[in-house]
Structure formats: C-alpha cells, structure tokens
C-alpha cells in the first residue's frame, strides 16, 4: 500500500461577489414571512369547514343563511363619506377615518334573526392575525365584541344595516372586507371583491386618536385644504410660492400607501403616527432608500424637472408610484410640499413652515463661523459654514406618549436630506415645545432643529500665524422669522414665538443654559461692543435693474472714527453657498462724532446678470476695522431679485362639468432670448397638471398658452402656473376662480 498523501490539491478562493448583496429572508428566524406591504394580500376561503370534510363532501347549504349583496355606502352623496370628511377623495372605494362609526348594508337570503351568527371581517396585509390587529372580526351583538365595535342599526326585510367603529389606534391603510355566516358545518363568506375594499385613515376629529386636533379652523386648513402658500425669499422681502397639494386627487392615496410599502415598514406599525412620520421623513428623499425625490442644488436639471418648475405634488407622487423610481428633482420646499400632501392625505394634520436664515451643518455646536483676515476682509477660502436664506420643513400634529407631558402638539419633520439620524437621512418628529424650552435630549433630532433656529454667527479674525480669535458675535441673525400660512386665509402667520423666546428675554437665557447641559456649545467670549454701527437698507429690486446700495455708518462715540471698509457682493444659492463674487469695494470712511455717513455703491446689472444662479440672490457682506479702536464692524444683507410675472386668466361658464378656458401670457422683458422654456399649470378640483414646452422665446416677444378644462366640483379655488428655463427660474402666476354647482 502506498504512503502517498491523500490531501486535496488547494484551489483559489471563489471570487468575492460585487454589487449590492441579495436580500436576506427571515427564514430560520421567524415562523412566517413578515407583513410589510399593504398591497400584498391573502385570499380568505369562501368556506371554512369545522373539522374534516368526509368523502361525500358537504351537504347542501341552501337551508342556511346566505349573503346575497353588500352595499358599502361608498358614494360621495351617501352618509359614510360625508360623516368622515372624505367626500373630496377621488376614489370609488369607501374611505373612512378610525375611531368613528360607519355603516354597511348587507342583504341576506332571508330575514335576519338574532340567533344567526354573522360577522364582518377586515383583513390587511399578507399574514392576517387577530393578535397583530391585521385580522379583525366584528360582531353585531353586545355580548361578543372585539377591538372594533359593531351593532345593528336597522333591519328591513332581508336587509341589515350594520354600524362598525374601527379602534382609534388601528392600522391605517387599505383593508379587504368579508361578510361571514356561521353554519353547522363551517363558516361561509363572501368572495373577494375589490369594490368592498376600504381605506381607513387617521382621524383628527376624534379625541381618542393620537392626531386629534381640537380646532376646527386648523383642521380645515391642515387636513382638508389642497391649496398651499410656501414662503421663500428673504425675511425682510418675503415671497410666496403657491402649491397644489392635491391630496384628494385620483391615485394619490394609493401612492402614499406605496411609499410605506417601499420602505418595508411593518403593517403593524402603521397605526402609530410617530413611526409613520419618521419612516416617511426618510422615504420622501432618495439618499439611502430609493425614496420619492432626488435632491439637486447644482443648477443643472437636464435629466429631470427643475425644482422651481413644479406647481404641485400630484405629478411627483403618481410618477413615483407608477415608475417605482425616484423622481428628479427637488429642493427643500418641494420635499416639504410633497411630505405635506402625504401627511394630509393619510389624515395627519400638517403644514409647511419656512425658517428664514436657517443654520445648517454646524454639528450642534450652535455656531456658524465666518473667518476674516487681519484687515477685516472676509476669507472665503476658510469660511465653510453656510446659512440658508430660508429652509422649509413640516409640522404635524400628534400626541407624544413617548415624551413627558406637555411635549405633544406640533412636531417638526423634515424630509430634506441634510444629516443622518439613526443611520438614515431623516429628521423628526421633534417636539416644537421641546425645541422652544431647550429640552433637546428628547427624540427625535430636537438638537438639530434647535440649532437651525438658535445658532450664533461668530466672526473670527485670523492672524497670519493661523490663530483665530472671535471679534463679533451676532446672536439674532439665525432663525430671524418662522412663517406658515394662516388658517382659512391667504395671509401668512408668524410662529417664531413657538420656537423661541424673544431675544434678551429671561426665559431665552434659561433655555440656552438648558441646551448647553445637553451638549450644545455657544460662543461665550465677552466682546466689547463697537461704537460704530453698520446699517444696510431693505431693497426691492427686479432682475436686470441697476440700483444703489447705501451703506450707513453711525458713530455713537464723541470722537471721530475712521473705518477701513470692505464691501463684497456675491451671487449665492438660496442655501447661502457662494457662486461667484461680482462686486468688491474697499473705501475708507470717516464719520464725525455722533454723526452718520452714507457710502453709496452703484450696482450695475451687467456685472451680475450673466453670473446669476436660480432664485437670483445677491448677498452683500460689509466688514470693517475701526482704526482708532481696532474694533470689527459687520453687516449682512441678502437681496432677492424679483422676477417678472405670468398673467393667468380664465373664461367660460364657471360651472361644474362645463368646459372653461385658461390663458397664460408672458412677455420676455430681457435683451436676450430664453431657451428651453417649460410652463406648467394646475388647480385643485378644476385642472389636473398640464405642461407646455417652448424651445425659444426671443427678447421682447410674448407667448400665449390656452388650455381647456372642465371643473369637477363647486367652490373657490385657484389656478397656478409656473415658467421655468435655465436662464430664468421661479416665474409664477395665479388666479382665483369660483365654480358654481
């Protein structure tokens, strides 16, 4: 026998797989598949026998009670949708709100008797279980009730009207409904019928629901209103952007449920508004989960729609639901507007909020740093932090049983991808009350939002050896004003006082001390106050205009002051990021004792027009060093240039189901042509989104676009239109129209 080794010949290791790893199932860890899709379902058997069926099968069941018909009472003119405030949803299915009674009519094969055993069964998801709240039988008798209440309200001949009250904390989504009858041999059921599917939503009208809002005017605005106004521009020159939330449009409710399906959120969590809003905050952006919208701040929108071009949420949500792909492109107000549609559609009271001068990416240290050189001139290479001219987020209304008493109510949620939270790009829900009182330890992301409205702007002087020392702290610049639309009106509402106490107020100091206990650090250097003030004027300038910038120097001392001044004008994105500098002056200004002097700088359009980026923001920063004292003085001002407007007019009978005509007019006021122009138009209840493309609008020429539409419902609404092209963003127009029945 040979002593030769029998060891196998070594072979190279198999290649390492590349790309995304395959999805791992729950096999071996869970007894069955997890239910995380509302669109998945399981067929319930039409007959469920008691015990084993013999070889001869079942005897005829004709002598026992049978179901002939089920009326969901789902039409808009019937009682269910009226009581549940769901008449406006463009859906043939029944849509109700949890915690509130609705009715169905059941026609049996004979008159109903109290001894008959019947049940109305509700099923959601692919793995229905009573213990999980995904299978709910509802019985008509008092002695046999479940988590949903049932009662018979009327019997006429063979027809029984049964009233059902879903639990006020039940799962929100699309349910299948069955009628079941018990016979001696088993349970017989209605077969699956899509017309008997129903949607159950959150209910802000019912006190037992976590989203209960005890203010009818706020409910009407924050749940039922389809037309929104989103504020932008500068805090001293506020502009308005009209938006059609379209939460009742056909397909939008299914698209919102698909967002939760795409996130693979367990069905069992979908009754909790805290979990739903946190999950949706991540899913509205595409950064790490292929969510709804792709963010783009570059100015190049070749492969999608410019954020400034959108006029409503409907196109975005329906495109996402049909393509199963993220939609291009969005910036903060688009994220907030579409998130608002999602929340209102599911029944969570929500509003879009704009914070003017919003601090970003400051790691919770409550400081935004601006670096100056030894002469007092801004060092753009070393100044990294930015302050957004404005930033939009959402507030939604709910109780917070996970927090101490008093922190329920309005909660901040933000879908714009900025920082990760628990490993994903999302923010909130964060209690507005907790933010105001500095209780930033509470979930979720309160510290981040606190910094957005409370950061200090710290100016540092950097010496040639690299050392830096603070020379001025501006504690009032960030979070200058927080706005939202006033309920029931076309005006704005200042809600700054809901986020912070007035500057200098005793409570404000207490709040900042409290925030520091939780790790937020402020600049505490005790800096002497300069005796020279810089004041920049409030300006309203149109794109293409020359204008004068008057910088006022006020000397509050009894001695003459000489200021070596640097005046910088830059083109900036609305995020505060500088695109290019178009103006620089360095005058030396002398001011007599207790006097003021104005230094006039002429700004010519030829210097800024070719460099403009979208939203046309000019940022002026004036810094100076007082020769006599060495003190640093600063002032900052964002000037948002005003764009030309669209003219929108309507004509026709102004009656439901009678054709009308909308006309959009625009004249190019510039000396150059506009290329690649998109115009969009829509209006809740009257016109679904429409668009038109113009390859060229020459200098000084006009266009007229006419579109026919047929109003679907009565009431006062608005048609809104936008014009957008690479050379000119954010051109809007709107008209109110009242439709008669």
């Amino acid at each position: 026998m040979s002593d030769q080794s029998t060891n196998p010949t070594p072979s190279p290791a198999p290649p390492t797989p590349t790309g995304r790893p395959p999805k791992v199932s729950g096999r071996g860890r869970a007894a069955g598949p997890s239910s995380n899709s509302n669109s998945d379902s399981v067929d319930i058997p039409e007959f469920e026998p008691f015990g084993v069926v013999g070889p001869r099968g079942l005897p005829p069941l004709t002598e026992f009670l049978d179901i002939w018909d089920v009326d969901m009472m789902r039409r808009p003119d019937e009682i269910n949708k009226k009581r549940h405030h769901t008449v406006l949803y463009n859906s043939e299915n029944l849509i109700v709100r949890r915690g509130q009674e609705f009715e169905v009519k059941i026609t049996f094969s004979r008159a109903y008797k109290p001894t008959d055993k019947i049940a109305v069964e509700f099923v959601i998801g692919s793995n229905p279980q009573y213990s999980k709240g995904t299978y709910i039988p509802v019985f008509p008798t008092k002695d046999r009730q479940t988590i949903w209440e049932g009662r018979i309200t009327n019997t006429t001949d063979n027809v029984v009207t049964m009233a059902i009250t879903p639990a006020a904390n039940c799962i929100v989504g699309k349910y299948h409904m069955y009628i079941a009858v018990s016979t001696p041999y088993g349970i017989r059921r209605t077969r699956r019928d899509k017309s008997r599917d129903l949607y159950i939503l959150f209910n802000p009208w019912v006190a037992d629901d976590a989203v209960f809002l005890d203010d009818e005017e706020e409910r009407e605005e924050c749940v039922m209103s389809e037309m929104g106004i989103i504020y932008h521009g500068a805090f001293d020159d506020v502009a308005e952007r009209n938006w059609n939330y379209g939460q009742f449009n056909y397909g939008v409710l299914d698209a919102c449920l698909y967002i939760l399906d795409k996130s693979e959120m367990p069905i069992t969590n979908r009754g909790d508004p805290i979990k739903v809003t946190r999950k949706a905050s991540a899913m509205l952006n595409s950064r790490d989960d292929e969510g709804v919208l792709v963010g783009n701040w570059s100015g190049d929108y070749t492969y999608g729609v410019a954020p400034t071009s959108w006029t409503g949420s409907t196109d975005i949500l329906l495109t996402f639901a049909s393509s199963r792909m993220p939609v291009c492109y969005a910036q903060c107000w688009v994220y907030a507007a579409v998130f608002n549609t999602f929340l209102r559609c599911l029944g969570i009271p929500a509003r879009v909020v704009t914070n003017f001068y919003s601090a970003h990416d400051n790691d919770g240290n409550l400081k935004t740093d601006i670096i100056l050189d030894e002469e007092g001139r801004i060092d753009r290479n070393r100044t990294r932090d930015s302050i957004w001219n404005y930033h939009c987020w959402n507030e939604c209304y709910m109780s917070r049983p996970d927090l101490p008493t008093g922190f329920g109510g309005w909660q901040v949620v933000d879908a714009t991808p900025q920082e990760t939270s628990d490993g994903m790009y999302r923010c909130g829900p964060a209690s507005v009350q907790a933010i105001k009182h500095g209780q930033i330890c509470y979930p979720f992301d309160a510290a981040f939002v606190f910094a957005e409205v409370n950061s200090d702007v710290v100016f540092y002087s950097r010496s040639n050896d690299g050392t830096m020392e603070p020379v001025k702290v501006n504690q009032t610049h960030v979070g200058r004003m927080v706005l939202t639309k006033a309920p029931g009106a076309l005006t704005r509402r200042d809600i700054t006082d809901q986020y912070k106490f007035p500057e200098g107020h005793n409570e404000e100091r207490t709040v900042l001390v409290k925030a520091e206990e939780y790790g937020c650090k402020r600049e505490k250097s005790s800096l002497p106050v300069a005796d020279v003030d810089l004041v920049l004027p409030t300006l309203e300038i149109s794109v293409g205009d020359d204008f004068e910038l008057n910088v006022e120097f006020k000397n509050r001392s009894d001695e003459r002051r000489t200021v070596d001044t640097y005046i910088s004008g830059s083109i900036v994105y609305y995020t505060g990021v500088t695109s290019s500098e178009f103006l620089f002056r360095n005058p030396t200004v002398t001011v007599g004792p207790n006097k003021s002097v104005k230094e006039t700088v002429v700004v010519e359009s030829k210097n800024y027009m070719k460099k403009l980026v979208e939203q046309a923001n000019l940022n002026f920063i004036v810094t100076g060093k007082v020769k006599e004292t060495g003190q640093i003085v600063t002032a900052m001002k964002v000037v948002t240039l005003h764009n030309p407007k669209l003219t929108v007019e309507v004509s026709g009978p102004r009656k439901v189901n009678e054709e009308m005509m909308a006309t959009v007019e625009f004249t190019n006021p510039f000396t150059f042509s506009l290329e690649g122009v998109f115009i969009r138009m829509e209006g809740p209840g009257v016109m679904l989104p429409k668009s038109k493309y113009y390859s060229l609008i020459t200098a000084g020429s006009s266009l007229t676009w006419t579109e026919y539409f047929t109003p679907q419902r009565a009431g006062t609404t608005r048609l809104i239109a936008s014009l957008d092209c690479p050379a000119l963003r954010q051109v809007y127009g709107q008209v109110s129209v009242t439709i008669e029945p």
Side-chain angles (χ1 to χ4, degrees), residues 563-615:
V563 185
D564 288 331
T565 309
Y566 298 92
I567 302 172
S568 168
S570 300
I571 309 290
V572 293
Y573 296 91
Y574 87 96
T575 56
V577 175
T578 299
S579 171
S580 59
E581 189 175 63
F582 70 91
L583 178 145
F584 180 74
R585 303 280 188 278
N586 58 340
T588 298
V589 180
T590 302
V591 194
N594 296 303
K595 300 283 187 185
S596 67
V597 169
K598 286 187 178 179
E599 179 73 20
T600 299
V601 177
V602 176
V603 180
E604 295 182 278
S605 62
K606 67 181 181 183
N607 294 328
Y608 69 75
M609 277 299 289
K610 289 187 178 180
K611 300 177 181 178
L612 274 185
V613 294
E614 59 193 81
Q615 303 197 39

Side-chain angles (χ1 to χ4, degrees), residues 35-104:
S35 182
N36 53 22
S37 175
N38 199 166
S39 59
D40 290 346
S41 62
V42 61
D43 283 332
I44 307 296
E46 286 183 51
F47 188 79
E48 202 171 328
F50 297 147
V52 179
V53 179
R56 295 186 179 183
L58 293 167
L61 301 176
T62 50
E63 62 184 283
F64 304 111
L65 188 67
D66 197 2
I67 310 108
W68 281 3
D69 187 43
V70 181
D71 180 3
M72 300 293 288
M73 301 170 68
R74 57 195 168 97
R75 293 200 311 272
D77 58 344
E78 292 184 289
I79 195 167
N80 284 332
K81 286 189 175 180
K82 286 182 176 179
R83 284 180 178 171
H84 287 255
H85 308 91
T86 58
V87 170
L88 295 179
Y89 284 89
N90 188 350
S91 171
E92 293 184 355
N93 289 88
L94 178 60
I95 301 172
V96 296
R97 299 183 188 274
R98 62 188 193 175
Q100 185 176 340
E101 191 174 79
F102 67 92
E103 295 181 349
V104 294

Side-chain angles (χ1 to χ4, degrees), residues 271-292:
D272 185 343
I274 300 169
K275 292 177 179 176
V276 168
T277 54
R278 184 150 175 79
K279 180 63 75 172
S281 166
M283 276 304 299
L284 263 292
N285 68 71
S286 66
R287 280 294 291 267
D288 38 27
D289 45 21
E290 294 293 295
V292 180

Side-chain angles (χ1 to χ4, degrees), residues 156-177:
T156 305
D157 297 328
N158 295 7
V159 179
V160 172
T161 302
M162 187 160 165
I164 297 145
T165 305
N169 62 349
C170 76
I171 294 165
V172 166
K174 186 177 184 179
Y175 287 77
H176 309 312
M177 192 186 88

